[in-house]
Amino acid sequence: MTRIVYVNGAYKRYPEAAVHAEDRGFQFADAIYEVIEIRDGRLVDATRHLARLARSLRELDIPAPMSDAALMQVIGQVIRRNRVRDGIVYMQVTRGAGPRDFALPPVGTSPTIVVLARAQRKGWSAEQAEVGIAIKTIPDNRWGRCDIKTVMLLPAVLAKNEARSSGAKEAWFIDAHGNVTEGASSNAWIVTAAGSLVTHPLGAQILPGVTRATVIDAAKLEGLKVEERIFALDEAFRAREAFVTSATNIVMPVVRIDGRPVGDGKPGNFARRLRTRFHHVAEISAG
Ligand code: PDD
């Protein structure tokens, strides 16, 4: 349970943790966010997450609310005050509050920052990985800058909901050419018959996943071949294995896509191996 939330300089009790009614995050989704895994009371890949947070802010010209060192202090406090050992840190930065206006607010408007931590039962993800997940594909109707981690998540919310209604845990977005871009809240991967790991190249169409980057490091250390290239849904149907990566799922095997089994319909060895290696390769730091 989340007890304490950091909001704009103060640690608030959960029921009182609120932002202004005219916050631009609320009115325009003029905001960015990050999710970091907490494992055994420590942060996983914090440096990469904070670097992506800084990049998202730069791309949107939102001023950084504080230095990385100060933010790490706040994150540590939030983890301790909520006594989280395993779970996630969620942080969001918006362009701030002011009378509703599409044009950007005056220079000097303070950004809004919220940092919260939430416990998750240790082992839930490992148990899920034993059986894998099903995927439902959905046309990619998002905007042209999916590389920025904005809170403009309505297409992902609706896609995930459609996936859930059909018994799938995640949605994969399919572009106008029939290619898989990424998941609603994860990066998408397949393994070819020859044993290459394939994932969409970085660019405006996908989020540069932190887990994706660390899985690439892990794969290279394991001597596996990684191809960052476009792949069609048809290729995914014929893949030997498939999986998704995210800070919450780490490496999660995909066993069905649109009702069709992937490979033998069971979690595959590549996914299992990468999942096992992941936390040995990721940066683990004190919160
Ligand atoms: N989602 N692609 C999208 C669209 C995402 O929303 C996410 C993460 C990822 C994976 O990124 P990372 O490996 O850095 O977590 C890819 C987070 C977990 C969320 O929205 O909860």
Side-chain angles (χ1 to χ4, degrees):
M1 206 183 70
T2 302
R3 297 187 190 90
I4 301 293
V5 182
Y6 178 86
V7 185
N8 293 335
Y11 295 91
K12 301 277 196 187
R13 288 181 52 241
Y14 188 72
E16 283 100 46
V19 297
H20 196 276
E22 288 213 274
D23 193 279
R24 295 181 66 89
F26 180 52
Q27 290 182 332
F28 299 115
D30 191 355
I32 59 98
Y33 75 107
E34 276 298 324
V35 177
I36 307 182
E37 185 197 7
I38 309 167
R39 188 178 151 92
D40 298 326
R42 300 169 51 95
L43 291 165
V44 179
D45 276 333
T47 304
R48 278 180 163 160
H49 281 285
L50 293 200
R52 186 174 62 188
L53 180 102
R55 176 182 184 272
S56 298
L57 291 172
R58 268 198 316 275
E59 291 295 316
L60 298 177
D61 232 346
I62 298 176
M66 61 181 79
S67 68
D68 277 4
L71 183 53
M72 281 300 279
Q73 292 284 328
V74 170
I75 291 170
Q77 280 291 326
V78 167
I79 292 173
R80 278 187 290 282
R81 289 179 191 227
N82 289 287
R83 296 197 192 94
V84 176
R85 285 212 38 90
D86 294 283
I88 54 130
V89 171
Y90 173 86
M91 64 199 103
Q92 181 173 335
V93 180
T94 87
R95 205 184 299 274
R100 184 173 182 275
D101 186 356
F102 283 80
L104 296 189
V107 174
T109 301
S110 297
T112 299
I113 175 159
V114 170
V115 182
L116 63 82
R118 174 153 298 138
Q120 279 168 339
R121 186 176 62 78
K122 193 173 185 178
W124 75 266
S125 155
E127 285 161 27
Q128 183 69 61
E130 286 301 311
V131 287
I133 60 167
I135 296 289
K136 172 152 177 49
T137 63
I138 312 267
D140 197 339
N141 58 358
R142 301 172 302 163
W143 75 323
R145 289 301 307 273
C146 295
D147 56 313
I148 308 173
K149 199 162 173 62
T150 76
V151 301
M152 206 163 56
L153 291 170
L154 199 48
V157 165
L158 298 178
K160 188 88 90 176
N161 189 54
E162 218 175 305
R164 293 283 161 99
S165 308
S166 72
K169 280 248 161 30
E170 175 63 310
W172 275 7
F173 285 123
I174 310 298
D175 72 11
H177 310 288
N179 299 316
V180 177
T181 53
E182 63 178 332
S185 62
S186 59
N187 288 111
W189 299 70
I190 58 168
V191 182
T192 65
S196 282
L197 307 175
V198 182
T199 193
H200 196 286
L202 294 181
Q205 273 190 293
I206 65 159
L207 187 79
V210 167
T211 318
R212 176 189 181 280
T214 300
V215 164
I216 290 175
D217 292 347
K220 289 186 175 159
L221 287 170
E222 290 283 289
L224 302 174
K225 188 163 171 226
V226 178
E227 295 176 46
E228 292 178 74
R229 65 161 170 87
I230 285 167
F231 63 96
L233 176 58
D234 263 352
E235 190 177 356
F237 283 141
R238 288 181 276 107
R240 170 169 168 181
E241 273 186 42
F243 58 90
V244 298
T245 57
S246 74
T248 42
N249 283 286
I250 309 305
V251 176
M252 187 58 70
V254 168
V255 292
R256 272 195 317 284
I257 302 173
D258 290 344
R260 307 195 200 182
V262 177
D264 63 2
K266 299 203 187 81
N269 286 328
F270 284 85
R272 197 188 318 269
R273 200 163 143 195
L274 290 166
R275 199 183 158 81
T276 309
R277 288 299 301 151
F278 183 83
H279 289 107
H280 298 283
V281 176
E283 177 203 47
I284 308 290
S285 57

